[in-house]
Amino acid sequence: MEIKTVLFDLDGTLTDSGPGIINSVKYALKKCGIEVSDPDGLRSFIGPPLKEQFKWYCGFSEKESSRAVEFYREYYKEKGIFENEVYEEIPELLQTLKQAGKTIIMATSKPEYFARIIADHYHLSEYFDFMGGSLMNETRTKKSEVIEYVLEECQIQDRSSTMMIGDRDYDIKGAKESGICSMGVLYGYGSKEELENAGADIIIDEPMEAAEYILDDVGVKRYFAP
């Protein structure tokens, strides 16, 4: 089985966006009258759709969650978006896959508007054939919805040769719902247990291991044998 199309999550997979996201959540919660004593507890906000996470973490209503997202973006668009850095080996990974002729697509639950700004700022845009994400009105946030969107936009019909790479269970579950294989990464914000429970087909420790699996036909056949 040859992997021809590779979909990448953004937060926790291409960039270490934790500081910016956590600081933006702290800002939003403070404006909602909630003081955060343990910022580490906000790591759960890295990856999942924001509105759903505010509901789960704070017990907010739909309206309260939407308002929290508005507060979040006040900080994020000015500061949080750049409290971020590209993981080591990511440019090398993307360049290696590009040179091998793979189609490279970004599929993130982050608003596409912000994702494109980040990719441009950190000089990642040049590697991608397409970049897709959620909408600013908090729709198309579910990972499977983003995957379906980017596959349709890129006219990718062969799902058996398509792989989703991400660091959280949302990425893995979204891939399964869309009928594509998945690779979980441990250098991001998800644990091995989380990725295994979600059903990741492959789990790797470092970015360049992804290229080794994708470009090694023997390895791909070994790990995706029925």
Side-chain angles (χ1 to χ4, degrees):
M1 183 190 302
E2 179 186 2
I3 301 299
K4 298 178 180 178
T5 303
V6 186
L7 277 53
F8 282 93
D9 175 46
L10 176 57
D11 295 331
T13 303
L14 297 174
T15 69
D16 183 358
S17 54
I21 291 175
I22 289 173
N23 288 337
S24 299
V25 173
K26 285 172 59 180
Y27 173 90
L29 292 180
K30 186 173 183 178
K31 292 201 70 170
C32 292
I34 299 174
E35 290 291 341
V36 178
S37 57
D38 180 18
D40 281 347
L42 303 181
R43 288 168 61 93
S44 62
F45 279 85
I46 304 169
L50 274 176
K51 185 156 66 171
E52 296 306 312
Q53 199 63 13
F54 275 119
K55 287 181 183 178
W56 175 83
Y57 186 86
C58 305
F60 283 172
S61 66
E62 182 80 12
K63 185 176 180 180
E64 289 170 332
S65 295
S66 294
R67 187 162 176 76
V69 170
E70 291 178 7
F71 290 148
Y72 172 97
R73 288 179 178 164
E74 287 179 3
Y75 182 94
Y76 187 78
K77 67 183 180 182
E78 297 295 332
K79 297 180 180 179
I81 191 170
F82 299 123
E83 293 174 335
N84 196 357
E85 63 180 350
V86 178
Y87 285 114
E88 291 185 9
E89 297 188 354
I90 288 299
E92 291 83 357
L93 167 60
L94 297 175
Q95 184 176 25
T96 299
L97 295 178
K98 193 75 172 176
Q99 289 177 340
K102 305 303 179 184
T103 298
I104 305 175
I105 299 171
M106 185 186 294
T108 174
S109 292
K110 181 185 290 297
E112 189 172 308
Y113 172 76
F114 291 136
R116 290 178 178 272
I117 291 175
I118 291 168
D120 287 344
H121 181 78
Y122 291 104
H123 308 292
L124 298 178
S125 299
E126 62 191 271
Y127 300 111
F128 287 92
D129 295 281
F130 185 77
M131 293 182 285
S134 65
L135 300 175
M136 291 293 281
N137 64 2
E138 286 298 302
T139 58
R140 200 168 69 210
T141 58
K142 191 177 179 183
K143 185 49 67 90
S144 60
E145 294 174 335
V146 177
I147 292 174
E148 294 298 331
Y149 163 64
V150 299
L151 293 182
E152 181 177 354
E153 287 294 311
C154 297
Q155 299 182 355
I156 304 296
Q157 298 183 358
D158 184 4
R159 300 193 179 212
S160 67
S161 64
T162 301
M163 171 182 280
M164 177 77 218
I165 300 179
D167 69 312
R168 300 299 306 274
D169 57 357
Y170 297 91
D171 304 305
I172 307 306
K173 292 175 180 177
K176 285 190 172 297
E177 290 173 14
S178 295
I180 63 176
C181 60
S182 61
M183 176 183 286
V185 304
L186 293 178
Y187 58 82
Y189 287 86
S191 67
K192 185 176 183 180
E193 181 181 16
E194 175 184 336
L195 295 170
E196 287 179 338
N197 289 342
D201 296 297
I202 291 173
I203 298 176
I204 62 170
D205 292 301
E206 302 295 337
M208 283 305 291
E209 290 181 41
E212 293 174 12
Y213 286 121
I214 292 169
L215 301 181
D216 178 359
D217 289 345
V218 175
V220 171
K221 289 176 182 176
R222 181 171 67 249
Y223 281 88
F224 288 96

mmCIF file of all heavy atoms in Angstrom, residues 9-11 15 17 21 47-49 72-73 76 81 84 107-116 118 132-136 140-141 143 146:
data_model
loop_
_atom_site.group_PDB
_atom_site.id
_atom_site.type_symbol
_atom_site.label_atom_id
_atom_site.label_comp_id
_atom_site.label_asym_id
_atom_site.label_seq_id
_atom_site.Cartn_x
_atom_site.Cartn_y
_atom_site.Cartn_z
ATOM 1 N N ASP A 9 -2.394 17.546 10.823
ATOM 2 C CA ASP A 9 -2.953 18.450 11.816
ATOM 3 C C ASP A 9 -1.938 19.591 11.996
ATOM 4 O O ASP A 9 -0.776 19.459 11.599
ATOM 5 C CB ASP A 9 -3.151 17.688 13.125
ATOM 6 C CG ASP A 9 -3.614 18.558 14.262
ATOM 7 O OD1 ASP A 9 -4.530 19.369 14.058
ATOM 8 O OD2 ASP A 9 -3.038 18.433 15.365
ATOM 9 N N LEU A 10 -2.364 20.695 12.599
ATOM 10 C CA LEU A 10 -1.447 21.828 12.813
ATOM 11 C C LEU A 10 -0.955 21.884 14.265
ATOM 12 O O LEU A 10 0.216 21.634 14.546
ATOM 13 C CB LEU A 10 -2.129 23.137 12.428
ATOM 14 C CG LEU A 10 -1.337 24.433 12.677
ATOM 15 C CD1 LEU A 10 -0.004 24.409 11.949
ATOM 16 C CD2 LEU A 10 -2.173 25.651 12.263
ATOM 17 N N ASP A 11 -1.849 22.220 15.192
ATOM 18 C CA ASP A 11 -1.463 22.394 16.592
ATOM 19 C C ASP A 11 -1.002 21.076 17.212
ATOM 20 O O ASP A 11 -1.751 20.093 17.221
ATOM 21 C CB ASP A 11 -2.638 22.935 17.411
ATOM 22 C CG ASP A 11 -3.043 24.340 16.987
ATOM 23 O OD1 ASP A 11 -2.173 25.080 16.521
ATOM 24 O OD2 ASP A 11 -4.241 24.677 17.110
ATOM 25 N N THR A 15 3.339 22.515 14.745
ATOM 26 C CA THR A 15 3.877 23.548 15.633
ATOM 27 C C THR A 15 3.502 23.281 17.084
ATOM 28 O O THR A 15 2.457 22.693 17.373
ATOM 29 C CB THR A 15 3.359 24.958 15.256
ATOM 30 O OG1 THR A 15 1.953 25.054 15.550
ATOM 31 C CG2 THR A 15 3.597 25.261 13.781
ATOM 32 N N SER A 17 2.050 24.900 19.679
ATOM 33 C CA SER A 17 1.198 26.076 19.848
ATOM 34 C C SER A 17 0.668 26.221 21.261
ATOM 35 O O SER A 17 -0.137 27.114 21.536
ATOM 36 C CB SER A 17 0.018 25.986 18.871
ATOM 37 O OG SER A 17 -0.643 24.740 19.054
ATOM 38 N N ILE A 21 -2.135 29.116 22.930
ATOM 39 C CA ILE A 21 -3.495 28.652 23.178
ATOM 40 C C ILE A 21 -3.830 28.755 24.661
ATOM 41 O O ILE A 21 -4.896 29.250 25.045
ATOM 42 C CB ILE A 21 -3.663 27.203 22.680
ATOM 43 C CG1 ILE A 21 -3.597 27.171 21.147
ATOM 44 C CG2 ILE A 21 -4.980 26.610 23.174
ATOM 45 C CD1 ILE A 21 -3.620 25.781 20.553
ATOM 46 N N GLY A 47 -5.914 21.447 20.452
ATOM 47 C CA GLY A 47 -6.349 20.449 19.478
ATOM 48 C C GLY A 47 -7.847 20.423 19.241
ATOM 49 O O GLY A 47 -8.288 20.636 18.105
ATOM 50 N N PRO A 48 -8.661 20.177 20.277
ATOM 51 C CA PRO A 48 -10.102 20.058 20.059
ATOM 52 C C PRO A 48 -10.751 21.392 19.659
ATOM 53 O O PRO A 48 -10.180 22.462 19.912
ATOM 54 C CB PRO A 48 -10.629 19.614 21.427
ATOM 55 C CG PRO A 48 -9.453 19.078 22.146
ATOM 56 C CD PRO A 48 -8.282 19.872 21.648
ATOM 57 N N PRO A 49 -11.944 21.335 19.060
ATOM 58 C CA PRO A 49 -12.692 22.566 18.766
ATOM 59 C C PRO A 49 -12.924 23.371 20.043
ATOM 60 O O PRO A 49 -13.327 22.830 21.073
ATOM 61 C CB PRO A 49 -14.009 22.040 18.186
ATOM 62 C CG PRO A 49 -13.651 20.707 17.602
ATOM 63 C CD PRO A 49 -12.622 20.139 18.536
ATOM 64 N N TYR A 72 -11.396 34.662 23.682
ATOM 65 C CA TYR A 72 -10.164 33.934 23.321
ATOM 66 C C TYR A 72 -9.490 34.595 22.121
ATOM 67 O O TYR A 72 -8.286 34.839 22.117
ATOM 68 C CB TYR A 72 -10.531 32.486 23.011
ATOM 69 C CG TYR A 72 -9.410 31.638 22.443
ATOM 70 C CD1 TYR A 72 -8.658 30.806 23.263
ATOM 71 C CD2 TYR A 72 -9.116 31.661 21.075
ATOM 72 C CE1 TYR A 72 -7.644 30.016 22.737
ATOM 73 C CE2 TYR A 72 -8.099 30.884 20.547
ATOM 74 C CZ TYR A 72 -7.370 30.060 21.380
ATOM 75 O OH TYR A 72 -6.362 29.291 20.860
ATOM 76 N N ARG A 73 -10.273 34.904 21.121
ATOM 77 C CA ARG A 73 -9.714 35.458 19.885
ATOM 78 C C ARG A 73 -9.211 36.884 20.058
ATOM 79 O O ARG A 73 -8.347 37.320 19.286
ATOM 80 C CB ARG A 73 -10.751 35.378 18.763
ATOM 81 C CG ARG A 73 -10.974 33.942 18.285
ATOM 82 C CD ARG A 73 -12.010 33.863 17.208
ATOM 83 N NE ARG A 73 -12.173 32.478 16.747
ATOM 84 C CZ ARG A 73 -13.203 32.046 16.034
ATOM 85 N NH1 ARG A 73 -14.161 32.900 15.682
ATOM 86 N NH2 ARG A 73 -13.267 30.789 15.657
ATOM 87 N N TYR A 76 -5.787 35.983 21.131
ATOM 88 C CA TYR A 76 -5.083 35.113 20.193
ATOM 89 C C TYR A 76 -4.651 35.848 18.923
ATOM 90 O O TYR A 76 -3.522 35.689 18.467
ATOM 91 C CB TYR A 76 -5.970 33.923 19.814
ATOM 92 C CG TYR A 76 -5.244 32.892 18.986
ATOM 93 C CD1 TYR A 76 -4.377 31.985 19.579
ATOM 94 C CD2 TYR A 76 -5.411 32.832 17.600
ATOM 95 C CE1 TYR A 76 -3.687 31.045 18.819
ATOM 96 C CE2 TYR A 76 -4.722 31.898 16.836
ATOM 97 C CZ TYR A 76 -3.865 31.012 17.456
ATOM 98 O OH TYR A 76 -3.163 30.099 16.702
ATOM 99 N N ILE A 81 -1.326 33.905 18.650
ATOM 100 C CA ILE A 81 -1.060 33.227 17.382
ATOM 101 C C ILE A 81 0.438 33.044 17.132
ATOM 102 O O ILE A 81 0.868 32.092 16.480
ATOM 103 C CB ILE A 81 -1.728 34.001 16.220
ATOM 104 C CG1 ILE A 81 -1.691 33.159 14.936
ATOM 105 C CG2 ILE A 81 -1.098 35.360 16.020
ATOM 106 C CD1 ILE A 81 -2.524 33.744 13.817
ATOM 107 N N ASN A 84 4.262 30.562 19.643
ATOM 108 C CA ASN A 84 4.175 29.335 18.875
ATOM 109 C C ASN A 84 5.538 29.075 18.241
ATOM 110 O O ASN A 84 6.284 30.016 17.998
ATOM 111 C CB ASN A 84 3.121 29.586 17.781
ATOM 112 C CG ASN A 84 2.603 28.333 17.120
ATOM 113 O OD1 ASN A 84 3.054 27.240 17.409
ATOM 114 N ND2 ASN A 84 1.671 28.510 16.214
ATOM 115 N N ALA A 107 -5.000 19.768 7.505
ATOM 116 C CA ALA A 107 -6.387 19.564 7.912
ATOM 117 C C ALA A 107 -6.470 19.825 9.408
ATOM 118 O O ALA A 107 -6.133 18.973 10.222
ATOM 119 C CB ALA A 107 -6.837 18.137 7.593
ATOM 120 N N THR A 108 -6.903 21.030 9.765
ATOM 121 C CA THR A 108 -6.899 21.457 11.163
ATOM 122 C C THR A 108 -8.273 21.944 11.595
ATOM 123 O O THR A 108 -9.029 22.498 10.787
ATOM 124 C CB THR A 108 -5.862 22.578 11.379
ATOM 125 O OG1 THR A 108 -5.971 23.079 12.715
ATOM 126 C CG2 THR A 108 -6.063 23.735 10.412
ATOM 127 N N SER A 109 -8.577 21.752 12.877
ATOM 128 C CA SER A 109 -9.820 22.288 13.429
ATOM 129 C C SER A 109 -9.686 23.762 13.785
ATOM 130 O O SER A 109 -10.660 24.409 14.145
ATOM 131 C CB SER A 109 -10.248 21.486 14.666
ATOM 132 O OG SER A 109 -10.631 20.178 14.305
ATOM 133 N N LYS A 110 -8.463 24.293 13.716
ATOM 134 C CA LYS A 110 -8.258 25.721 13.903
ATOM 135 C C LYS A 110 -8.884 26.457 12.722
ATOM 136 O O LYS A 110 -8.897 25.935 11.599
ATOM 137 C CB LYS A 110 -6.755 26.024 13.957
ATOM 138 C CG LYS A 110 -6.405 27.495 14.168
ATOM 139 C CD LYS A 110 -4.914 27.716 14.098
ATOM 140 C CE LYS A 110 -4.204 27.129 15.287
ATOM 141 N NZ LYS A 110 -4.578 27.746 16.567
ATOM 142 N N PRO A 111 -9.416 27.664 12.934
ATOM 143 C CA PRO A 111 -9.945 28.420 11.793
ATOM 144 C C PRO A 111 -8.911 28.525 10.670
ATOM 145 O O PRO A 111 -7.746 28.819 10.910
ATOM 146 C CB PRO A 111 -10.257 29.785 12.394
ATOM 147 C CG PRO A 111 -10.610 29.480 13.818
ATOM 148 C CD PRO A 111 -9.661 28.374 14.205
ATOM 149 N N GLU A 112 -9.366 28.256 9.465
ATOM 150 C CA GLU A 112 -8.472 28.277 8.306
ATOM 151 C C GLU A 112 -7.767 29.622 8.174
ATOM 152 O O GLU A 112 -6.597 29.687 7.766
ATOM 153 C CB GLU A 112 -9.283 27.971 7.051
ATOM 154 C CG GLU A 112 -8.470 27.746 5.803
ATOM 155 C CD GLU A 112 -9.326 27.261 4.655
ATOM 156 O OE1 GLU A 112 -10.082 26.267 4.846
ATOM 157 O OE2 GLU A 112 -9.258 27.872 3.573
ATOM 158 N N TYR A 113 -8.459 30.695 8.535
ATOM 159 C CA TYR A 113 -7.880 32.044 8.459
ATOM 160 C C TYR A 113 -6.601 32.127 9.289
ATOM 161 O O TYR A 113 -5.561 32.607 8.815
ATOM 162 C CB TYR A 113 -8.908 33.057 8.963
ATOM 163 C CG TYR A 113 -8.380 34.465 9.113
ATOM 164 C CD1 TYR A 113 -8.181 35.286 7.997
ATOM 165 C CD2 TYR A 113 -8.068 34.975 10.383
ATOM 166 C CE1 TYR A 113 -7.685 36.574 8.143
ATOM 167 C CE2 TYR A 113 -7.579 36.259 10.529
ATOM 168 C CZ TYR A 113 -7.392 37.050 9.404
ATOM 169 O OH TYR A 113 -6.896 38.330 9.547
ATOM 170 N N PHE A 114 -6.658 31.638 10.540
ATOM 171 C CA PHE A 114 -5.480 31.669 11.415
ATOM 172 C C PHE A 114 -4.418 30.676 10.957
ATOM 173 O O PHE A 114 -3.219 30.942 11.036
ATOM 174 C CB PHE A 114 -5.877 31.364 12.858
ATOM 175 C CG PHE A 114 -6.690 32.438 13.526
ATOM 176 C CD1 PHE A 114 -7.800 32.118 14.286
ATOM 177 C CD2 PHE A 114 -6.347 33.778 13.394
ATOM 178 C CE1 PHE A 114 -8.550 33.110 14.907
ATOM 179 C CE2 PHE A 114 -7.091 34.777 14.007
ATOM 180 C CZ PHE A 114 -8.193 34.437 14.768
ATOM 181 N N ALA A 115 -4.852 29.502 10.491
ATOM 182 C CA ALA A 115 -3.904 28.479 10.056
ATOM 183 C C ALA A 115 -3.036 28.986 8.911
ATOM 184 O O ALA A 115 -1.824 28.727 8.871
ATOM 185 C CB ALA A 115 -4.659 27.222 9.622
ATOM 186 N N ARG A 116 -3.629 29.715 7.992
ATOM 187 C CA ARG A 116 -2.870 30.237 6.858
ATOM 188 C C ARG A 116 -1.885 31.325 7.304
ATOM 189 O O ARG A 116 -0.768 31.405 6.783
ATOM 190 C CB ARG A 116 -3.822 30.773 5.791
ATOM 191 C CG ARG A 116 -4.592 29.662 5.074
ATOM 192 C CD ARG A 116 -5.575 30.204 4.045
ATOM 193 N NE ARG A 116 -6.254 29.130 3.360
ATOM 194 C CZ ARG A 116 -5.799 28.518 2.264
ATOM 195 N NH1 ARG A 116 -4.634 28.902 1.752
ATOM 196 N NH2 ARG A 116 -6.476 27.544 1.691
ATOM 197 N N ILE A 118 -0.414 31.461 10.224
ATOM 198 C CA ILE A 118 0.671 30.740 10.904
ATOM 199 C C ILE A 118 1.598 30.080 9.880
ATOM 200 O O ILE A 118 2.824 30.177 9.977
ATOM 201 C CB ILE A 118 0.090 29.687 11.864
ATOM 202 C CG1 ILE A 118 -0.608 30.384 13.041
ATOM 203 C CG2 ILE A 118 1.183 28.743 12.376
ATOM 204 C CD1 ILE A 118 -1.461 29.468 13.883
ATOM 205 N N GLY A 132 -6.637 23.478 4.786
ATOM 206 C CA GLY A 132 -8.040 23.602 5.153
ATOM 207 C C GLY A 132 -8.240 23.566 6.646
ATOM 208 O O GLY A 132 -7.479 22.914 7.378
ATOM 209 N N GLY A 133 -9.258 24.271 7.112
ATOM 210 C CA GLY A 133 -9.562 24.298 8.535
ATOM 211 C C GLY A 133 -11.017 24.611 8.776
ATOM 212 O O GLY A 133 -11.851 24.514 7.864
ATOM 213 N N SER A 134 -11.330 25.009 9.988
ATOM 214 C CA SER A 134 -12.702 25.364 10.330
ATOM 215 C C SER A 134 -12.994 26.786 9.864
ATOM 216 O O SER A 134 -12.114 27.500 9.383
ATOM 217 C CB SER A 134 -12.911 25.246 11.841
ATOM 218 O OG SER A 134 -12.101 26.192 12.532
ATOM 219 N N LEU A 135 -14.251 27.186 10.028
ATOM 220 C CA LEU A 135 -14.668 28.529 9.668
ATOM 221 C C LEU A 135 -14.725 29.399 10.924
ATOM 222 O O LEU A 135 -14.853 28.894 12.039
ATOM 223 C CB LEU A 135 -16.033 28.491 8.973
ATOM 224 C CG LEU A 135 -16.077 27.660 7.678
ATOM 225 C CD1 LEU A 135 -17.498 27.597 7.137
ATOM 226 C CD2 LEU A 135 -15.131 28.231 6.636
ATOM 227 N N MET A 136 -14.646 30.698 10.745
ATOM 228 C CA MET A 136 -14.615 31.613 11.887
ATOM 229 C C MET A 136 -15.928 31.631 12.669
ATOM 230 O O MET A 136 -15.973 32.076 13.807
ATOM 231 C CB MET A 136 -14.279 33.028 11.411
ATOM 232 C CG MET A 136 -12.850 33.180 10.902
ATOM 233 S SD MET A 136 -11.608 32.993 12.204
ATOM 234 C CE MET A 136 -11.696 34.616 12.980
ATOM 235 N N ARG A 140 -17.730 23.603 10.755
ATOM 236 C CA ARG A 140 -16.717 22.738 10.153
ATOM 237 C C ARG A 140 -15.528 22.554 11.115
ATOM 238 O O ARG A 140 -14.374 22.569 10.714
ATOM 239 C CB ARG A 140 -16.228 23.297 8.815
ATOM 240 C CG ARG A 140 -15.563 22.208 7.927
ATOM 241 C CD ARG A 140 -15.355 22.700 6.516
ATOM 242 N NE ARG A 140 -14.339 23.739 6.456
ATOM 243 C CZ ARG A 140 -14.311 24.724 5.567
ATOM 244 N NH1 ARG A 140 -15.270 24.835 4.667
ATOM 245 N NH2 ARG A 140 -13.341 25.616 5.574
ATOM 246 N N THR A 141 -15.843 22.363 12.384
ATOM 247 C CA THR A 141 -14.787 22.200 13.392
ATOM 248 C C THR A 141 -14.455 20.736 13.645
ATOM 249 O O THR A 141 -13.354 20.419 14.085
ATOM 250 C CB THR A 141 -15.187 22.850 14.725
ATOM 251 O OG1 THR A 141 -16.413 22.256 15.184
ATOM 252 C CG2 THR A 141 -15.378 24.341 14.573
ATOM 253 N N LYS A 143 -13.149 17.133 13.154
ATOM 254 C CA LYS A 143 -12.021 16.744 12.304
ATOM 255 C C LYS A 143 -12.463 15.997 11.054
ATOM 256 O O LYS A 143 -11.919 16.221 9.964
ATOM 257 C CB LYS A 143 -11.017 15.909 13.104
ATOM 258 C CG LYS A 143 -9.732 15.548 12.361
ATOM 259 C CD LYS A 143 -9.060 16.737 11.666
ATOM 260 C CE LYS A 143 -8.506 17.755 12.613
ATOM 261 N NZ LYS A 143 -7.139 17.563 13.032
ATOM 262 N N VAL A 146 -13.506 18.486 8.472
ATOM 263 C CA VAL A 146 -12.356 19.134 7.832
ATOM 264 C C VAL A 146 -11.717 18.187 6.822
ATOM 265 O O VAL A 146 -11.364 18.590 5.708
ATOM 266 C CB VAL A 146 -11.316 19.572 8.884
ATOM 267 C CG1 VAL A 146 -10.091 20.175 8.198
ATOM 268 C CG2 VAL A 146 -11.919 20.584 9.859
#
